Amino acid sequence: MKVCKSALLLVMLLISGFGWARNSDADFAIRIFEQTNSERISRGLAELALDKDLQRLAADYSRRMCAEGFFDHRDPDGLLVQDRLQQEYPGLIHCGVGENLFMSDRSSNSNNPDYIVRRWLASPEHRKNLLDAEFTHMGVGIYRNGSKLYVTQILASPILRLTSRLPRKLVANESYRLDCEYLSPRSREDFNCSLATPDPNARIKVDLFSYYTGLIPLKCVWRKDGTLTLILDFRAGSGEYKLQAGWGEYYYSDLFTFKVL
């Protein structure tokens, strides 16, 4: 069984001397999104889908950088993009995330968001994020104030988005239904989920003759629209259960934590 943990490479790019005209921020962001996909497709990579949570997170970060007077991947609270994503959108279950930033403090009559993408491509670390074959979704956030322009691009590999709420208190030896939106472009045919038990040595019986050690396989109930319901099973007592998800024998661990009383 193969366990994969995603590595995150975060970098910063500060560029002066770029100008823009007063087109809408939404159009500006879409052009960056389209140009990013154009560059990926030209290199034989899959295009990225636009994600609403990543879009909102990126827009908020561009606004914060301007309002609070900083330009860095680490915010004044010490949080990086993966921390902010976990804090603001804990229901977006992902297996990797990266971030590119751009700031300009000059304006002119030119208006070319493609320039930003070209500058990212010229930077080895930004290029690595932008052309990462593992990323499947993206969000772009634009914020302008006077002559200043801030751009945040967040790229990620989301697997599920939780669409239902669980009770505030989860009780051991009970089962719960959790509705999810399936976001991965990979086929759902061999997709599976499981829970790592609080005690890694716990024996979980699955039938008359076999058991798992430290792992509870979860039932996935699929609907015609591609959404699914996970039947959460906390039969191994109280403690922290870790969600794992993947395809076949290839899975990602520690995607979400359930605290059970």
Side-chain angles (χ1 to χ4, degrees):
M1 184 175 287
K2 184 176 181 181
V3 179
C4 177
K5 292 185 178 179
S6 298
L8 177 65
L9 185 58
L10 294 173
V11 291
M12 181 178 73
L13 180 63
L14 176 60
I15 302 171
S16 297
F18 171 74
W20 66 90
R22 284 290 177 178
N23 68 332
S24 77
D25 291 350
D27 289 344
F28 205 97
I30 288 298
R31 287 180 61 187
I32 291 176
F33 169 76
E34 291 175 343
Q35 182 62 23
T36 296
N37 274 334
S38 177
E39 296 291 347
R40 288 175 63 89
I41 292 170
S42 71
R43 293 165 173 82
L45 297 170
E47 62 182 329
L48 304 173
L50 199 61
D51 181 80
K52 60 183 180 181
D53 290 343
L54 299 180
Q55 194 81 349
R56 286 192 288 259
L57 188 68
D60 182 64
Y61 198 60
S62 290
R63 180 195 60 78
R64 278 195 66 196
M65 285 192 293
C66 182
E68 299 178 27
F70 72 97
F71 180 68
D72 202 300
H73 289 289
R74 191 177 296 276
D75 71 16
D77 299 320
L79 302 180
L80 295 171
V81 61
Q82 69 270 33
D83 306 313
R84 299 192 301 272
L85 183 56
Q86 171 63 28
Q87 183 180 78
E88 298 299 325
Y89 300 99
L92 188 66
I93 309 300
H94 68 89
C95 56
V97 61
E99 180 181 75
N100 289 335
L101 302 178
F102 177 94
M103 190 273 282
S104 174
D105 58 4
R106 295 181 61 187
S107 63
S108 70
N109 293 325
S110 64
N111 180 21
N112 187 8
D114 300 346
Y115 176 79
I116 298 173
V117 176
R118 292 198 302 272
R119 294 302 301 173
W120 283 335
L121 287 171
S123 163
E125 305 302 342
H126 288 80
R127 181 187 183 91
K128 190 176 294 185
N129 273 343
L130 199 143
L131 301 179
D132 191 324
E134 296 299 316
F135 289 143
T136 59
H137 291 68
M138 173 177 43
V140 180
I142 307 296
Y143 192 80
R144 299 186 243 205
N145 184 20
S147 63
K148 290 186 177 182
L149 167 70
Y150 291 82
V151 181
T152 301
Q153 180 187 56
I154 300 177
L155 309 100
S157 305
I159 302 173
L160 299 171
R161 190 184 343 261
L162 309 186
T163 57
S164 64
R165 292 179 178 272
L166 289 169
R168 295 186 63 182
K169 293 183 178 180
L170 301 173
V171 181
N173 302 311
E174 295 286 344
S175 295
Y176 300 86
R177 297 173 64 89
L178 183 62
D179 296 329
C180 308
E181 178 184 358
Y182 184 70
L183 298 175
S184 174
R186 294 188 60 168
S187 170
R188 71 185 196 186
E189 293 302 318
D190 58 348
F191 179 73
N192 62 84
C193 294
S194 58
L195 290 175
T197 59
D199 178 3
N201 298 313
R203 287 193 173 189
I204 306 300
K205 192 173 182 179
V206 292
D207 57 38
L208 196 59
F209 304 104
S210 59
Y211 63 87
Y212 285 91
T213 300
L215 208 61
I216 302 174
L218 299 181
K219 182 180 180 181
C220 298
V221 181
W222 291 93
R223 302 185 188 86
K224 292 182 179 179
D225 62 359
T227 60
L228 71 152
T229 296
L230 296 178
I231 310 302
L232 302 178
D233 180 357
F234 300 123
R235 73 176 86 166
S238 61
E240 292 189 349
Y241 290 74
K242 306 285 188 177
L243 178 67
Q244 300 182 164
W247 297 264
E249 294 186 349
Y250 187 97
Y251 68 88
Y252 296 94
S253 60
D254 298 342
L255 294 174
F256 193 88
T257 300
F258 301 96
K259 296 182 178 180
V260 178
L261 301 177

